[in-house]
Amino acid sequence: MEKIGLLIEIKDGEVKPANLGVLTAARGADHDLHVFLLDGDVKRHRAVLENFGAHKIVDIRCEEGALTDNPACRAAAVVEAMEHFDIHTLAGLASARGKDLLARIAAGLGAPLVLDCIRFDLAAHTAEKSQYSGKTIARIQLRGSHAIYGLRPKAVEAQPAPGRAEVVSLTATCPASGLEFIQIRQQTGDAIDLTEADVIISGGRGMKDAQNFKILFECAATMGAAVGASRVAVEAGWVPYSMQVGQTGATVSPKVYLACGISGSVQHFAGMKTARTIIAVNQDPDAAITRTCDYFAVADLFDIIPRLTRRLRQVQKLER
Amino acid sequence: MNIYVCIKHVPDSAARIKIVEPNRIDESVTFIINPYDENAVEEAVQLKKQIDGSEVIAVALGPCAAENTLRSALAMGADRAILISTDSRPDSLVTAQALKAAIEGDGGASIIFTGKESIDSEGFQTMYRLAVALSIPVASSVVAFSLEQGFARVECEMEAGATAVMKMALPCVIGAGKALNQPGYPTLPAIMNARKKKIEHLDLADLDIKKFSGSMEVVELKPAVEVRQAKEIKGPPDTVAEEIIRILREEARVL
């Protein structure tokens, strides 16, 4: 049996759904999946983890109690758990927190790491990921005693594989790291995470000003979508940087990406080209995005989106 | 303060990338300073202005042509530069060790800035490895930075518009995010002046660096193929809205 460690992220008291895709991707005939829960509520999360194929749930705590938020402590605890259980392969989610934690762990172990991969082969020690602004897909060979992978959120769809998991505990020590966590500051803005959303509605130059983004937020609210933006909209100061999708912003893989008034530069595509369906609404029939999307309408977004919102509200009401 | 900035020489994001060997791109395209590293240089130069007697040293590992990229950093306000030259393509484990050797050999850092990721290999990890190599703390995706009584206070970007506020003892490594600052365009006199600034040359092969058993290698590069067939949704606005709902419901199944 090959032991595989899995780093699980908890958000708002629940296992982040995208983690279940990582569990799915990590399964294998002779894989023994050790799920690492850092300061997690084992009772609460056990059922979902068992349903997605966990064999062992490793309940990791720290005597100093600082495990929850200090990334240096968390990384040290995972390294300790890997050593304790003799685990040489680790997979996690390449979310903002996941990328930080996995990189700290890999650096601590001197182990190779591929972040934001779109697939991995844990037996062959290879991973595929985008390079050069999404223009190429690189296959990377990891060599050495350890291998660490961070899977792009939503790159692999979660499939259940019900079973039973044994719970084991570990109390880790948190060595002093020179890093002190103070607090999480929630900025104003969209509370739905771009990288986690099934649907993203994004606005670009065609939005014309900050006020108009309200139209997108209203539409997004009807279906739990996140609102994104192109670099143009961010640099114009209409929306915060945290909403930027693209080369120098977030990389997203939603089921649907609805681009409103976005021309579709190479740099923007670098951030959303792995969306399953791309729909564009743009007044310019020659905009690049009309050639690189799945559906496009040559139309004014101010005509289309409010109508879409109204219809979506009606549809939701009828179904309730 | 000895303020070091680690920068990378990368193909322009607008460049057409041609794969010439199974795992190599045609490097005759335009190369630039990695965009996030511009934020790192900018922050380093701002910090220098605050603290008398500080110096900003830009360090890069790459081919001889990376000298041009170092000149960009010098034009942005770095005082001098170190180029660790190599024609090999070292992974992030080797890169971090090389940067460590160059920085320690030059006198050691009070603080180190770099970009949160490089836009070519998109690895997101060299700054963490550099910090471990130097046994100092690190934070990346930093969107706010200040120096307070012997420690660095940073805000790191998290999901959904949240930031994590942290304090780090000095020296430390800072991975700069886009929202950290707005790098200014160098003025013509600054560009002219940068030509006179000193670039020290080291050879990667001459550095005494720690060897790891672990490594990463790109074994194959393929163009990312676009398989989308764009279809036009025609008709008046109501029809378009209706069709989008049909796609959301029947094809994407998100409703």
Side-chain angles (χ1 to χ4, degrees):
Chain A
M1 291 289 264
E2 168 84 18
K3 289 180 185 172
I4 311 287
L6 289 142
L7 203 55
I8 292 295
E9 236 176 281
I10 306 294
K11 196 182 177 195
D12 302 328
E14 299 296 338
V15 171
K16 231 171 152 180
N19 280 292
L20 306 174
V22 184
L23 267 166
T24 305
R27 278 180 215 142
D30 64 341
H31 288 178
D32 191 16
L33 303 186
H34 285 59
V35 170
F36 295 149
L37 265 186
L38 299 162
D39 276 345
D41 183 343
V42 175
K43 268 193 197 140
R44 182 170 184 155
H45 306 313
R46 184 172 190 161
V48 65
L49 296 173
E50 284 185 332
N51 193 34
F52 282 85
H55 298 114
K56 287 200 179 60
I57 298 172
V58 185
D59 181 18
I60 307 177
R61 310 208 167 260
C62 168
E63 274 176 359
E64 289 83 352
L67 204 48
T68 315
D69 290 309
N70 186 316
C73 275
R74 293 170 77 83
V78 174
V79 168
E80 195 175 328
M82 288 175 73
E83 283 167 356
H84 182 86
F85 294 100
D86 197 27
I87 293 171
H88 295 257
T89 304
L90 179 71
L93 197 59
S95 57
R97 279 169 203 266
K99 276 195 273 198
D100 180 66
L101 199 49
L102 290 165
R104 289 177 191 276
I105 295 163
L109 288 166
L113 162 72
V114 182
L115 280 176
D116 204 30
C117 35
I118 49 175
R119 61 178 71 88
F120 51 62
D121 183 334
L122 301 183
H125 297 239
T126 57
E128 287 183 22
K129 69 164 288 156
S130 92
Q131 286 193 337
Y132 302 102
S133 319
K135 285 175 225 163
T136 66
I137 302 293
R139 190 156 57 85
I140 298 177
Q141 181 73 53
L142 293 80
R143 297 193 181 94
S145 56
H146 290 72
I148 304 182
Y149 307 85
L151 190 68
R152 177 178 290 188
K154 305 181 93 69
V156 174
E157 188 149 11
Q159 305 282 353
R164 298 283 295 160
E166 182 192 340
V167 178
V168 290
S169 309
L170 180 83
T171 305
T173 46
C174 279
S177 61
L179 184 145
E180 186 190 331
F181 173 85
I182 299 171
Q183 61 169 341
I184 293 287
R185 242 166 48 111
Q186 191 68 43
Q187 318 278 33
T188 51
D190 194 7
I192 297 166
D193 194 339
L194 281 171
T195 61
E196 291 273 313
D198 275 341
V199 181
I200 295 174
I201 307 178
S202 260
R205 192 187 301 274
M207 297 307 296
K208 297 193 178 110
D209 65 33
Q211 287 293 312
N212 290 332
F213 266 84
K214 193 165 159 244
I215 299 169
L216 302 190
F217 279 106
E218 283 170 355
C219 186
T222 64
M223 50 179 167
V227 178
S230 73
R231 191 173 115 172
V232 175
V234 172
E235 291 196 344
W238 300 339
V239 289
Y241 171 74
S242 57
M243 283 171 61
Q244 187 175 320
V245 171
Q247 168 91 72
T248 48
T251 305
V252 298
S253 299
K255 288 182 179 158
V256 177
Y257 191 85
L258 177 54
C260 304
I262 291 178
S263 64
S265 66
V266 174
Q267 289 85 351
H268 190 71
F269 256 79
M272 43 62 95
K273 67 198 301 175
T274 50
R276 205 170 311 153
T277 303
I278 300 171
I279 309 172
V281 178
N282 201 303
Q283 277 185 306
D284 177 5
D286 297 323
I289 202 161
T290 61
R291 294 185 298 278
T292 44
C293 65
D294 297 290
Y295 293 98
F296 67 97
V298 178
D300 186 348
L301 72 96
F302 298 103
D303 286 334
I304 306 297
I305 304 303
R307 280 181 169 80
L308 183 62
T309 308
R310 272 203 298 281
R311 282 293 291 135
L312 281 164
R313 282 185 185 143
Q314 285 168 2
V315 169
Q316 310 289 40
K317 228 180 260 166
L318 286 175
E319 282 169 5
R320 236 173 255 141
Chain B
M1 283 186 104
N2 302 325
I3 307 167
Y4 287 84
V5 190
C6 302
I7 66 174
K8 192 173 182 186
H9 180 64
V10 298
D12 190 332
S13 60
R16 184 174 292 273
I17 297 294
K18 204 172 108 198
I19 298 162
V20 288
E21 279 171 47
N23 61 355
R24 209 163 177 134
I25 65 155
D26 176 357
E27 289 178 1
S28 63
V29 296
T30 306
F31 273 67
I32 55 168
I33 177 171
N34 179 46
Y36 295 101
D37 298 345
E38 291 186 322
N39 297 92
V41 175
E42 176 70 20
E43 201 66 17
V45 171
Q46 292 305 328
L47 180 62
K48 179 195 160 171
K49 286 181 191 161
Q50 289 171 31
I51 297 163
D52 287 344
S54 295
E55 188 184 27
V56 176
I57 307 109
V59 189
L61 171 67
C64 291
E67 194 173 319
N68 295 330
T69 289
L70 283 169
R71 293 274 172 220
S72 307
L74 294 171
M76 289 180 70
D79 298 297
R80 59 187 176 87
I82 302 171
L83 174 61
I84 313 161
S85 47
T86 180
D87 286 322
S88 67
R89 285 168 298 160
D91 64 18
S92 66
L93 287 99
V94 174
T95 303
Q97 291 297 322
L99 294 171
K100 171 195 186 232
I103 291 169
E104 285 186 339
D106 192 59
S110 313
I111 191 164
I112 302 171
F113 290 92
T114 189
K116 74 165 174 109
E117 64 173 286
S118 61
I119 64 162
D120 56 350
S121 53
E122 303 175 17
F124 309 93
Q125 52 189 273
T126 303
M127 69 297 278
Y128 293 94
R129 298 190 190 278
L130 177 60
V132 167
L134 293 165
S135 306
I136 59 177
V138 55
S140 198
S141 296
V142 171
V143 295
F145 165 84
S146 59
L147 204 62
E148 295 174 8
Q149 294 156 345
F151 59 84
R153 185 189 171 91
V154 294
E155 278 191 44
C156 303
E157 199 173 40
M158 312 293 279
E159 292 89 343
T163 56
V165 184
M166 301 194 288
K167 257 165 69 167
M168 290 190 290
L170 294 175
C172 62
V173 181
I174 307 277
K178 265 280 124 184
L180 182 58
N181 53 42
Q182 284 274 5
Y185 288 104
T187 59
L188 189 59
I191 293 168
M192 301 300 287
N193 191 29
R195 291 187 190 164
K196 287 180 257 162
K197 291 181 180 172
K198 190 175 156 240
I199 299 183
E200 183 189 346
H201 289 257
L202 301 174
D203 195 314
L204 178 62
D206 296 338
L207 296 178
D208 179 24
I209 64 174
K210 183 179 166 185
K211 301 274 190 298
F212 287 96
S213 66
S215 69
M216 287 163 278
E217 187 196 359
V218 174
V219 286
E220 186 189 21
L221 272 180
K222 288 179 296 191
V225 280
E226 291 297 326
V227 287
R228 298 177 201 273
Q229 296 284 327
K231 288 190 271 295
E232 184 171 3
I233 307 170
K234 289 183 179 160
D238 282 321
T239 312
V240 171
E242 212 54 52
E243 175 63 4
I244 293 175
I245 287 176
R246 188 197 65 77
I247 296 163
L248 292 172
R249 184 198 297 272
E250 291 173 18
E251 294 188 19
R253 299 183 186 186
V254 289
L255 291 185

